[in-house]
């Protein structure tokens, strides 16, 4: 069902410092920060030749990544995103298999403007999984 790896998301305590590091130390092609008010994060995409990295910084005091950063003060891998052809079919199949879809259980529009859903990390080896309709 899953296709390509779309991105790996890394939660960072200091987004500006992480952007500088990826630009200057790693020589990466780093995009502009985008505030995602409804998701409580500021996102910076880094284009690699075969995939993307999504740097996530907290936006606002109720940001959903604040707890993650408290548990991982240096930052860390927050989720991986796999592509699927049809998110509604994927969602139904996953629910039938007993996997928990986070939120109200329906796909939402994600940071790329495409439908996404998140799967409970406890159902997938401790890894938060995002599915995005390619
Ligand atoms: Co993501």
């Amino acid at each position: 069902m899953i296709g390509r790896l779309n991105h790996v998301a890394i939660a960072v305590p200091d987004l500006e410092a992480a952007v500088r590091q990826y630009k200057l130390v790693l020589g990466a092609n780093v995009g502009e920060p985008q505030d995602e008010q409804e998701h409580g994060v500021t996102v910076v995409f880094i284009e690699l030749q075969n995939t993307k990295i999504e740097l996530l910084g907290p936006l606002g005091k109720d940001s959903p990544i604040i707890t993650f950063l408290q548990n991982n003060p240096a930052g860390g891998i927050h989720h991986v995103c796999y592509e699927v052809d049809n998110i509604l079919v994927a969602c139904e199949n996953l629910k039938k298999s007993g996997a928990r879809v986070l939120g109200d259980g329906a796909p939402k529009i994600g940071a790329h403007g495409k439908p996404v859903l998140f799967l409970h990390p406890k159902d997938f080896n401790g890894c938060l999984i995002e599915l995005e309709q390619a």
Side-chain angles (χ1 to χ4, degrees):
M1 181 174 71
I2 60 171
R4 289 161 23 119
L5 174 68
N6 185 276
H7 61 268
V8 175
I10 303 174
V12 302
D14 182 339
L15 194 55
E16 282 179 28
V19 162
R20 275 197 307 277
Q21 186 182 50
Y22 268 83
K23 268 187 195 164
L24 302 177
V25 180
L26 295 176
N29 180 9
V30 180
E32 291 299 316
Q34 304 164 34
D35 287 346
E36 304 277 337
Q37 297 287 352
E38 69 275 29
H39 299 290
V41 288
T42 302
V43 182
V44 173
F45 282 106
I46 298 169
E47 294 284 342
L48 304 180
Q49 286 182 14
N50 60 342
T51 190
K52 294 186 281 280
I53 301 296
E54 179 181 85
L55 299 178
L56 297 175
L59 178 65
K61 62 177 170 41
D62 298 324
S63 170
I65 66 169
I66 283 177
T67 308
F68 182 92
L69 287 170
Q70 281 166 350
N71 294 332
N72 305 272
I77 293 179
H78 184 263
H79 64 268
V80 295
C81 177
Y82 304 124
E83 295 179 359
V84 293
D85 289 334
N86 186 320
I87 198 134
L88 292 173
V89 170
C91 189
E92 283 315 304
N93 289 341
L94 284 157
K95 284 184 187 167
K96 272 185 211 146
S97 74
R100 287 170 285 178
V101 175
L102 298 187
D104 63 7
K108 300 254 182 324
I109 298 302
H112 302 97
K114 294 180 176 173
V116 301
L117 60 77
F118 286 90
L119 297 168
H120 201 298
K122 288 195 173 139
D123 296 338
F124 291 94
N125 313 292
C127 182
L128 177 61
I129 291 177
E130 178 179 20
L131 296 182
E132 179 177 297
Q133 185 166 293

